[in-house]
Amino acid sequence: MGMGGNIRNLIAKRAAKEIENGMVVNLGIGIPSLVPNHLPENIHVFFQAENGVLGMGSTPLPGEENENLCNAAGYPVSVRPGASYFDSALAFGMIRRGKLDITILGSLQVSEKGDLANWIVPGKRVPGMGGAMELSQKAKKVIVLMSHTDKFGNSKVVKSCSLPVTTPDCVNMIITDLAVFEIKKDGMLLTELMPGVNLEQVKEKTEATFTLSPAIL
Amino acid sequence: MEKVENTFNKIVELEKVHHLFFDGMTLMFGGFGGVGTPPKLVDTLLDSSVKNLTLIGNDAGFPTIGIGKVVCAGKVDKLIASHIGSNPVAGKMMTDNKLEVEFSPQGTLAERIRAGGVGLGGILVDVGITSEIVTRNKQILTSGGKDYILEPALTADLSIVFAKKADPYGNLIFDKSARNTNPLVAMAGTKTIVEVEEFVPLGELDPEEIVVPGVYVDYMVQSEGVNWTWVWEETYGT
């Protein structure tokens, strides 16, 4: 959404802090795909791709790609020791069974209750839900990375989603170019400001109702 | 390479499978974003006069990659898939009412195909149960105190599949992430044609490693490999 590479990387870097050794993590396309670049060397994470890979590694160097080893977006990846291949039914079997620790997704809107709207703009863009419903409904933790506002300046962190909801009440954390929010049972909490951002800016650009964590006060 | 005996007459020239493609048929294809979609069988379809297809598969490929070529050629009336975002032509055809698209969540779609291939009538799943688009015209059933959508199984007149290796019986193994929907699609076709990269003699595949038993395979053709340019090849050099 018109965000520079620097900001996209700041968001990805913040998301990487949520990942721990041994976790099973699925990454969406866009900013989530930058997250592995910000992980410390000494942790071994099992990145899952819903086309049937568990244990993806880094992007291969030009010339070393394998056309039959791609992520769910169709781009070449590598595998780390301990990786496995399986069919699409099993890929989603492990997702539905709750084996994913974290899914990191992009979104069009997120509501203060944690409703995710990330798959359809009626009358404009109807690409299909792909695996977004399984991932958001079944992962233990759902983290959304997105720009805080759309290209018209409207808040994407909203009271109630105006776009069709992919999965209600599923998002646990939102990381934007302005702030980090956690969504709890009793509401949304502003927990961090991104570097160089002040509270007034966040208040001005957020439609959702939120409270401030002690760290912000 | 050892000579592979065609013990079961399943290994055929392309001409021998032409009759399996017909107007108005339901056709299921293996592959995910073009990876694992059989290139030669896609071209066979493109070169034929067959039209008014109902296609079932993960996605609509890309305009020049995989099944996307068949969709762009206007041969498809209806597509049952989870995603068409990588093929803008398919999106435009849908908006212009030239292509009917039924969306199913990706894992639900895979499991519906699997169900068809293993003789089940459907599956109970709660993915998308709050979405009107997913639940439209479907029964909701309660099992163990929880609500589930009854998602009908999918089968097809014909399945087209891409495998790395096969023996003459049609025992199949796949290559890395090109496995994706192929084993499921292979099982769900009334008839199944497999495009194979390498044939090996009977007994050469370890029974422990076989992913699809040959009982599901009717015909096999020799592949000449992928004949399209991948999206990442186009963007990497620039």
Side-chain angles (χ1 to χ4, degrees):
Chain A
M1 275 302 163
M3 290 192 296
N6 191 33
I7 293 169
R8 291 162 61 88
N9 271 302
L10 270 179
I11 295 172
K13 189 176 176 184
R14 176 59 191 82
K17 285 188 187 174
E18 300 299 311
I19 299 175
E20 294 167 19
N21 190 56
M23 276 186 167
V24 178
V25 180
N26 185 293
L27 301 175
I29 56 171
I31 309 174
S33 69
L34 303 173
V35 170
N37 303 340
H38 301 283
L39 284 174
E41 288 283 329
N42 59 352
I43 72 167
H44 192 142
V45 180
F46 284 84
F47 286 108
Q48 197 249 19
E50 59 270 31
N51 54 332
V53 188
L54 180 61
M56 286 188 296
S58 57
T59 304
L61 296 169
E64 291 177 13
E65 305 92 350
N66 183 308
E67 63 182 23
N68 286 341
L69 183 48
C70 290
N71 61 22
Y75 280 80
V77 294
S78 62
V79 286
R80 298 188 66 181
S84 51
Y85 303 122
F86 34 84
D87 66 44
S88 299
L90 186 56
F92 282 95
M94 66 181 70
I95 294 170
R96 277 194 307 270
R97 193 71 179 93
K99 298 298 181 187
L100 253 58
D101 293 296
I102 301 180
T103 186
I104 305 180
L105 302 159
S107 192
L108 301 165
Q109 289 179 330
V110 179
S111 82
E112 61 193 46
K113 296 193 299 292
D115 299 346
L116 176 78
N118 75 341
W119 79 280
I120 190 170
V121 181
K124 285 189 180 162
R125 195 170 158 269
V126 188
M129 68 288 280
M133 286 185 174
E134 281 94 350
L135 289 163
S136 57
Q137 192 174 330
K138 299 295 185 181
K140 288 176 194 154
K141 183 171 186 176
V142 177
I143 302 175
V144 167
L145 310 186
M146 64 180 186
S147 57
H148 205 92
T149 55
D150 67 18
K151 61 182 172 184
F152 306 108
N154 300 312
S155 179
K156 292 167 69 173
V157 184
V158 294
K159 287 185 190 302
S160 171
C161 293
S162 58
L163 295 169
V165 168
T166 312
T167 301
D169 188 18
C170 68
V171 178
N172 304 102
M173 177 180 258
I174 310 169
I175 306 173
T176 76
D177 46 322
L178 300 184
V180 180
F181 297 96
E182 286 181 29
I183 298 172
K184 311 276 190 190
K185 281 198 176 65
D186 54 354
M188 207 169 87
L189 198 63
L190 175 66
T191 59
E192 291 167 48
L193 299 168
M194 294 302 269
V197 176
N198 65 47
L199 181 57
E200 286 312 307
Q201 288 172 291
V202 176
K203 282 183 175 170
E204 188 194 331
K205 295 197 169 161
T206 308
E207 187 205 295
T209 309
F210 58 87
T211 54
L212 303 181
S213 87
I216 300 274
L217 286 170
Chain B
M1 197 172 75
E2 281 182 82
K3 175 147 172 46
V4 175
E5 271 189 61
N6 195 6
T7 318
F8 306 97
N9 296 316
K10 290 186 179 185
I11 305 169
V12 296
E13 294 300 320
L14 216 42
E15 296 74 45
K16 297 281 189 198
V17 296
H18 281 171
H19 71 283
L20 296 170
F21 296 88
F22 56 91
D23 285 359
M25 75 186 302
T26 306
L27 179 80
M28 208 177 266
F29 61 94
F32 192 119
V35 177
T37 298
K40 201 181 216 179
L41 293 172
V42 164
D43 283 352
T44 302
L45 199 49
L46 278 177
D47 294 342
S48 76
S49 62
V50 171
K51 57 186 187 304
N52 302 119
L53 298 172
T54 294
L55 275 186
I56 304 171
N58 185 69
D59 54 74
F62 293 81
T64 59
I65 296 173
I67 207 70
K69 298 201 281 185
V70 176
V71 176
C72 292
K75 289 178 173 290
V76 182
D77 287 351
K78 182 176 179 181
L79 175 66
I80 302 175
S82 70
H83 200 267
I84 61 166
S86 54
N87 190 337
V89 180
K92 174 125 188 8
M93 289 168 83
M94 180 177 73
T95 313
D96 295 345
N97 293 318
K98 288 178 182 156
L99 175 68
E100 181 188 351
V101 181
E102 178 188 328
F103 287 118
S104 212
Q106 206 156 52
T108 297
L109 180 68
E111 208 64 43
R112 290 174 71 188
I113 294 170
R114 200 186 84 86
V118 298
L120 298 176
I123 55 161
L124 296 181
V125 59
D126 68 349
V127 170
I129 198 159
T130 59
S131 166
E132 194 270 325
I133 293 167
V134 175
T135 58
R136 190 183 296 157
N137 300 327
K138 289 182 190 142
Q139 270 181 272
I140 305 294
L141 300 178
T142 305
S143 175
K146 284 184 68 185
D147 286 347
Y148 294 94
I149 309 162
L150 172 56
E151 290 275 9
L154 291 168
T155 55
D157 295 316
L158 180 66
S159 285
I160 59 171
V161 167
F162 197 27
K164 181 185 185 185
K165 281 188 191 176
D167 68 19
Y169 187 50
N171 290 315
L172 307 178
I173 63 168
F174 300 89
D175 190 23
K176 307 181 186 68
S177 67
R179 181 183 309 194
N180 56 57
T181 63
N182 273 301
L184 315 166
V185 168
M187 298 191 297
T190 302
K191 293 285 180 192
T192 295
I193 314 173
V194 185
E195 180 171 335
V196 177
E197 291 198 285
E198 185 188 352
F199 288 106
V200 298
L202 211 56
E204 186 160 314
L205 295 174
D206 180 349
E208 293 281 11
E209 71 175 332
I210 290 166
V211 177
V212 174
V215 68
Y216 282 109
V217 174
D218 300 288
Y219 299 95
M220 293 178 281
V221 297
Q222 175 71 56
S223 183
E224 279 149 38
V226 165
N227 55 7
W228 51 69
T229 304
W230 296 104
V231 174
W232 52 267
E233 289 177 316
E234 287 171 3
T235 53
Y236 267 33
T238 56

